[in-house]
C-alpha cells in the first residue's frame, strides 16, 4: 500500500535547489564508473537512460569538460550497448528483454548524429525476433502477459520509427493492439483491471504511434487516458513510507509527462517525480538496482533542465 501521497496536481513542497548541475558533476562520474560485468540487466537499462541524458548534454550546449567529455561517454555507451546485446541473448524474461532492446535503441540512435549501422542492425534483429515471436504466440506467460504486450509494442514502435509505410505489417499489428486497448477503455479514461504501470506504457506506445501515423481519433483516446492516469497516479510525499514496487509506475509517468506530441508536456509533474526519486535514493543502498533506477531519472531531469537553461542563455547572447 502506498501511504502519504500527494496528487500530481499539487506543487512539490521541497526546494529544487538540490537538483542542480552540481548533482550531475558528482553522479555522472559515479555511474560512468559502474562495473557493467557485475550489473544486473535491470541496472544496465537504468545506466542507458543516464548515459544518453549525459551524452546529449555534453555533446550539445554544455561547456567543454564540465560534465565529462564526449569521448568518455562514447566509450562507455559503446561498452554498455554491447553488454546489453550480449546479455539479451541469455535473458529469460521477455518483458525485461523488451526493455533491454529499447535501451539498446536509445544508445544506438540517440547518441550520435548518424546512427551506427552495425548497432542499429543489432537492435533491429533483436526487436524483430521479439515482435515476431509474440505475434506467433511464443514467450507469452499469463502472469506477465499485459506487461509483455506493452513492452513488445514498444519494440515494434522502435522498429518502425520514424516513418512507416501505411501497410507495414508491424504498423498494422500495433493498430490492432491499440484498437483492442481503445475498445475496453471506459468513459473516464481508465482500463479496468490494468495496472497503472501498464496503462502508462500503453499511453506511451499510442502517443509514439500517433506521431508516426497521425489519427485524430487516437489522439482523443490518448488524452482521455492520460487525463485519468495523471489524476490517479500520485507522487509519494514520504520516501520513508513507500512501496518500492511503485517506482516503475513513477518512471512511466515521468516519461509520459515529457513525451509531448498528442499530449501537453508536463514539466512540473516530471520535476515532482524527479524530486521524489532523489529523496528516495537517499534512503537506498548505493549502487543497488533501485538506487540506479532513481538516479537515472534524476540525472535525466537535471540534464534536460541544465541543457534548456544553457541553450536559452546562448540564444540571449546571440540576440
Amino acid at each position: 500500500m502506498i501511504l502519504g501521497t500527494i496528487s500530481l496536481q499539487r506543487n512539490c513542497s521541497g526546494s529544487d535547489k538540490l537538483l542542480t548541475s552540481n548533482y550531475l558533476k558528482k553522479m555522472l562520474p559515479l555511474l560512468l564508473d559502474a562495473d557493467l560485468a557485475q550489473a544486473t540487466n535491470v541496472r544496465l537499462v537504468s545506466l542507458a537512460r543516464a548515459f544518453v541524458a549525459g551524452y546529449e548534454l555534453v555533446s550539445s550546449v554544455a561547456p567543454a569538460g564540465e560534465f565529462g567529455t564526449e569521448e568518455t561517454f562514447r566509450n562507455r555507451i559503446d561498452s554498455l550497448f554491447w553488454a546489453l546485446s550480449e546479455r539479451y541473448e541469455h535473458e529469460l524474461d521477455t518483458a525485461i528483454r523488451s526493455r533491454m532492446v529499447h535501451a539498446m535503441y536509445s544508445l544506438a540512435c540517440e547518441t550520435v548524429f548518424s546512427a551506427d549501422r552495425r548497432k542499429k542492425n543489432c537492435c533491429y534483429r533483436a526487436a524483430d525476433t521479439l515482435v515476431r515471436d509474440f505475434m506467433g504466440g511464443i514467450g507469452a506467460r499469463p502472469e506477465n502477459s499485459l506487461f509483455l504486450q506493452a513492452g513488445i509494442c514498444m519494440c515494434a514502435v522502435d522498429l518502425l520509427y520514424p516513418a512507416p509505410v501505411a501497410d507495414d505489417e508491424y504498423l498494422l499489428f500495433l493498430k490492432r493492439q491499440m484498437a483492442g486497448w481503445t475498445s475496453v477503455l471506459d468513459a473516464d479514461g481508465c482500463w479496468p483491471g490494468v495496472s497503472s504501470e501498464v496503462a502508462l506504457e500503453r499511453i506511451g506506445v499510442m502517443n509514439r504511434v500517433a506521431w508516426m501515423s497521425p489519427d485524430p481519433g487516437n489522439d482523443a483516446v490518448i488524452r482521455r487516458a492520460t487525463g485519468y492516469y495523471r489524476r490517479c497516479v500520485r507522487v509519494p510525499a514520504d520516501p520513508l513510507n513507500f512501496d518500492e514496487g511503485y517506482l516503475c509506475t513513477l518512471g512511466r509517468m515521468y516519461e509520459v509527462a515529457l513525451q509531448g506530441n498528442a499530449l501537453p508536456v508536463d514539466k512540473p509533474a516530471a520535476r515532482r517525480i524527479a524530486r521524489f526519486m532523489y529523496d528516495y535514493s537517499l534512503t537506498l543502498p548505493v549502487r543497488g538496482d533501485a538506487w540506479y533506477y532513481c538516479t537515472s531519472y534524476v540525472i535525466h531531469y537535471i540534464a534536460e533542465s541544465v541543457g534548456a537553461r544553457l541553450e536559452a542563455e546562448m540564444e540571449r547572447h546571440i540576440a
Side-chain angles (χ1 to χ4, degrees):
M1 181 176 180
I2 314 282
L3 302 176
T5 58
I6 56 176
S7 170
L8 282 172
Q9 303 304 318
R10 292 178 57 186
N11 290 327
C12 180
S13 59
S15 167
D16 279 342
K17 65 182 181 180
L18 294 175
L19 303 184
T20 67
S21 57
N22 288 333
Y23 181 90
L24 294 183
K25 293 174 184 178
K26 176 182 177 181
M27 302 308 295
L28 281 173
L30 191 63
L31 267 65
L32 288 167
D33 191 45
D35 185 347
L36 303 184
Q38 299 301 316
T40 64
N41 290 341
V42 171
R43 191 175 304 173
L44 293 180
V45 171
S46 294
L47 287 171
R49 185 179 302 109
F51 286 9
V52 169
Y55 178 83
E56 288 179 344
L57 180 61
V58 303
S59 64
S60 55
V61 294
E66 183 168 357
F67 302 105
T69 66
E70 287 188 55
E71 181 180 9
T72 298
F73 273 94
R74 284 181 181 141
N75 289 340
R76 293 301 284 162
I77 284 168
D78 189 67
S79 297
L80 178 55
F81 179 91
W82 295 114
L84 280 163
S85 175
E86 194 249 336
R87 293 281 195 87
Y88 163 86
E89 301 291 339
H90 307 288
E91 174 58 57
L92 300 179
D93 188 318
T94 308
I96 294 177
R97 293 179 86 193
S98 70
R99 303 303 303 181
M100 295 170 74
V101 171
H102 184 63
M104 288 164 59
Y105 263 103
S106 69
L107 292 168
C109 303
E110 297 178 24
T111 55
V112 289
F113 290 110
S114 58
D116 183 312
R117 181 55 53 186
R118 182 172 167 235
K119 289 179 181 174
K120 192 165 185 179
N121 286 341
C122 181
C123 293
Y124 178 88
R125 288 191 299 270
D128 187 63
T129 298
L130 280 176
V131 178
R132 288 199 178 279
D133 283 353
F134 181 84
M135 292 171 68
I138 300 172
R141 298 200 303 270
E143 67 271 19
N144 72 352
S145 58
L146 292 180
F147 283 98
L148 178 58
Q149 180 193 51
I152 294 297
C153 287
M154 181 173 59
C155 288
V157 173
D158 285 330
L159 281 166
L160 293 171
Y161 183 85
V165 295
D167 61 349
D168 187 287
E169 64 173 319
Y170 286 168
L171 181 60
L172 297 178
F173 160 74
L174 281 169
K175 288 187 174 181
R176 288 194 300 272
Q177 299 299 313
M178 289 162 50
W181 297 342
T182 300
S183 70
V184 293
L185 188 73
D186 71 17
D188 292 330
C190 171
W191 278 292
V194 175
S195 71
S196 294
E197 181 184 349
V198 171
L200 290 165
E201 190 96 338
R202 288 179 176 183
I203 290 168
V205 167
M206 295 176 77
N207 196 30
R208 291 182 70 197
V209 173
W211 186 87
M212 296 188 296
S213 182
D215 179 346
N218 185 35
D219 288 357
V221 171
I222 294 168
R223 287 191 287 268
R224 187 162 93 246
T226 303
Y228 176 85
Y229 288 98
R230 280 182 173 170
R231 291 191 299 272
C232 74
V233 173
R234 297 172 179 269
V235 179
D238 182 4
L240 296 177
N241 189 10
F242 174 66
D243 179 356
E244 193 170 289
Y246 195 58
L247 274 179
C248 288
T249 299
L250 290 178
R252 300 292 85 77
M253 188 71 236
Y254 177 93
E255 290 160 11
V256 166
L258 294 181
Q259 204 168 31
N261 191 44
L263 304 171
V265 172
D266 191 349
K267 289 185 178 179
R271 183 183 66 245
R272 288 189 284 273
I273 293 168
R275 176 64 203 215
F276 172 79
M277 288 195 173
Y278 169 81
D279 291 337
Y280 186 59
S281 73
L282 299 180
T283 74
L284 298 170
V286 175
R287 293 193 183 276
D289 281 356
W291 181 88
Y292 274 104
Y293 185 85
C294 291
T295 301
S296 70
Y297 279 101
V298 179
I299 285 175
H300 185 278
Y301 171 76
I302 300 176
E304 284 222 335
S305 299
V306 170
R309 175 176 58 79
L310 292 174
E311 186 173 358
E313 289 176 359
M314 289 174 60
E315 289 175 354
R316 283 197 297 271
H317 288 313
I318 292 173

